[in-house]
Amino acid sequence: MKNNCIFCAIAEGEIPSFKIYEDELVLAYLDINPFSAGHALVIPKAHSEGLLDTSDETLAAIIARVKKVAAHIKTALPCDGFNIMQNNGEAAGQTVRHVHFHIIPRMAGDPLSFENRKGDMDALKALAARLAM
Ligand code: 5GP
Ligand code: ZN
């Protein structure tokens, strides 16, 4: 596996994902253990570990894609709002060492805690088809 990294393997298509958006720079797909319905991850295809070793140019390009995907999810899902989360380092809860931005859809008054819940694969597949851009 390239860089011994599961997100590189997803970017290379070696591991399947519930893809919702792709272009030359990034891939966006549903988190398999979502905090909420529609929880998506946006990753650069090129490997870097976190915010600090990713170039300013790449980060600027990624955040523009995060905005685009979040806007689509907000309309297509729909949801009332969303959180963007980006963890750096084990102490901050980063479990996959390939920089990624979480898009976490929120409903007004929801009791969401930021905890992974085991995703239902059939439901994720159907949702990815619905959210595909
Ligand atoms: P972190 O805690 O590193 O910010 O977030 C990593 C996220 O990646 C977690 O929410 C976890 O559920 C998700 N994740 C881990 N492995 C996979 C995978 O193989 N496929 C997908 N789609 N998500 C994954
Ligand atoms: Zn990687």
Side-chain angles (χ1 to χ4, degrees), residues 76-108:
L77 204 55
C79 61
D80 298 321
F82 56 89
N83 295 96
I84 301 299
M85 190 170 90
Q86 197 277 310
N87 297 330
N88 294 276
E90 216 174 308
Q94 184 178 13
T95 57
V96 179
R97 292 181 171 199
H98 181 127
V99 68
H100 53 279
F101 287 77
H102 297 255
I103 300 171
I104 305 157
R106 303 297 302 275
M107 300 305 285

Side-chain angles (χ1 to χ4, degrees), residues 14-127:
E14 294 167 9
I15 292 179
S17 67
F18 299 109
K19 182 168 80 174
I20 57 176
Y21 176 78
E22 181 174 16
D23 63 23
E24 72 291 350
L25 181 81
V26 307
L27 187 64
Y29 47 92
L30 296 179
D31 195 299
I32 41 166
N33 295 313
F35 295 169
S36 66
H39 178 178
L41 302 171
V42 181
I43 67 162
K45 289 180 173 176
H47 182 87
S48 57
E49 191 168 321
L51 195 78
L52 300 183
D53 67 334
T54 306
S55 73
D56 292 355
E57 292 72 22
T58 299
L59 287 170
I62 296 171
I63 204 69
R65 269 64 166 198
V66 169
K67 178 181 176 182
K68 184 181 169 112
V69 175
H72 174 74
I73 290 174
K74 190 168 185 294
T75 307
L77 204 55
C79 61
D80 298 321
F82 56 89
N83 295 96
I84 301 299
M85 190 170 90
Q86 197 277 310
N87 297 330
N88 294 276
E90 216 174 308
Q94 184 178 13
T95 57
V96 179
R97 292 181 171 199
H98 181 127
V99 68
H100 53 279
F101 287 77
H102 297 255
I103 300 171
I104 305 157
R106 303 297 302 275
M107 300 305 285
D110 71 36
L112 183 68
S113 60
F114 293 92
E115 281 170 27
N116 290 110
R117 291 171 191 79
K118 188 156 177 43
D120 176 302
M121 294 301 132
D122 290 337
L124 286 171
K125 189 176 174 191
L127 189 54

Side-chain angles (χ1 to χ4, degrees), residues 2-3 5 7-8 47 97-98:
K2 196 173 163 188
N3 300 313
C5 170
F7 283 3
C8 281
H47 182 87
R97 292 181 171 199
H98 181 127

